[in-house]
Amino acid sequence: KQEVTQIPAALSVPEGENLVLNCSFTDSAIYNLQWFRQDPGKGLTSLLLIQSSQREQTSGRLNASLDKSSGRSTLYIAASQPGDSATYLCAVLDSGAGSYQLTFGKGTKLSVIP
Amino acid sequence: EAGVTQSPTHLIKTRGQQATLRCSPISGHTSVYWYQQALGLGLQFLLWYDEGEERNRGNFPPRFSGRQFPNYSSELNVNALELEDSALYLCASSLWTSRYEQYFGPGTRLTVT
């Protein structure tokens, strides 16, 4: 059974700092890995999706990497801003048995202090 | 293009009652997925519907059920509500030809008192 772990559970940084969020998964047989942002009480906003054949994806100040063999992904946020404060979720889509269900980590709650 | 929509935004029910949550997928999407986000438990997969049929089910009791209509919209029904059913319920949709990319709605907050 796939398990996704995110470290740290919470992170507080001063504005302008670069930061890294970590995600690990136990089964490397995945279609893709996705990073989401969730604001309090709200739905999910997709940030980056990395296919299993890719190593990284970039969007603006965000860069996500994937090392499928070691079961790890990182989300790098450059020059953090107070508006980046949210919970960041990592999710993997397993490739086995045609299930197409996303398995999520519990998230990293990020606070960027002005 | 309109995104995934869910209704109602908030729902308050009493223990033992039934709750019905609704989801409209993005136009052209035939697959609908339901997830539960309960406090402290993270997001968990509930159900997957495609072409009107239940394709996969997460580790939830039978009182969680649903259906998909011919227009691909979906309902999630929760019978005999328990306090621990209080959660944010998220719906997602995808194309049949691109099931690996799911788009999420804003969610329905269910509170059971």
Side-chain angles (χ1 to χ4, degrees), chain B residues 8-49:
Chain B
T9 304
H10 294 94
L11 189 57
I12 300 175
K13 292 286 186 178
T14 303
R15 191 170 52 184
Q17 287 187 318
Q18 177 192 37
T20 298
L21 288 64
R22 297 179 176 82
C23 172
S24 292
I26 292 171
S27 177
H29 286 194
T30 62
S31 284
V32 171
Y33 312 80
W34 287 95
Y35 293 85
Q36 182 199 62
Q37 188 175 34
L39 196 63
L41 291 181
L43 266 157
Q44 294 182 289
F45 168 75
L46 254 171
L47 290 160
W48 169 32
Y49 289 95

Side-chain angles (χ1 to χ4, degrees), chain B residues 52-90:
Chain B
E53 292 189 16
E54 182 181 302
R55 301 290 185 175
N56 196 19
R57 182 181 186 87
N59 189 25
F60 283 84
R63 57 191 188 81
F64 286 85
S65 64
R67 53 179 173 166
Q68 186 177 34
F69 300 99
N71 67 353
Y72 303 113
S73 66
S74 176
E75 270 183 5
L76 174 68
N77 295 295
V78 188
N79 294 318
L81 284 165
E82 300 179 2
L83 295 178
E84 52 264 35
D85 296 333
S86 294
L88 181 67
Y89 289 84
L90 293 171

Side-chain angles (χ1 to χ4, degrees), chain A residues 88-104:
Chain A
Y88 291 80
L89 296 167
C90 167
V92 298
L93 188 67
D94 292 327
S95 61
S99 63
Y100 298 103
Q101 65 185 71
L102 286 166
T103 302
F104 285 84

Side-chain angles (χ1 to χ4, degrees), chain A residues 21 31-36 46-67 72-78, chain B residues 100-101:
Chain A
L21 307 182
Y31 275 123
N32 61 45
L33 182 144
Q34 202 163 355
W35 284 93
F36 294 90
S46 179
L47 298 174
L48 291 164
L49 184 150
I50 312 176
Q51 303 291 359
S52 61
S53 58
Q54 297 175 317
R55 299 284 292 182
E56 66 177 331
Q57 281 285 347
T58 298
S59 176
R61 296 182 293 108
L62 305 179
N63 175 275
S65 67
L66 174 63
D67 184 343
R72 293 182 181 182
S73 175
T74 60
L75 178 67
Y76 175 83
I77 301 177
Chain B
Y100 57 81
E101 189 162 10

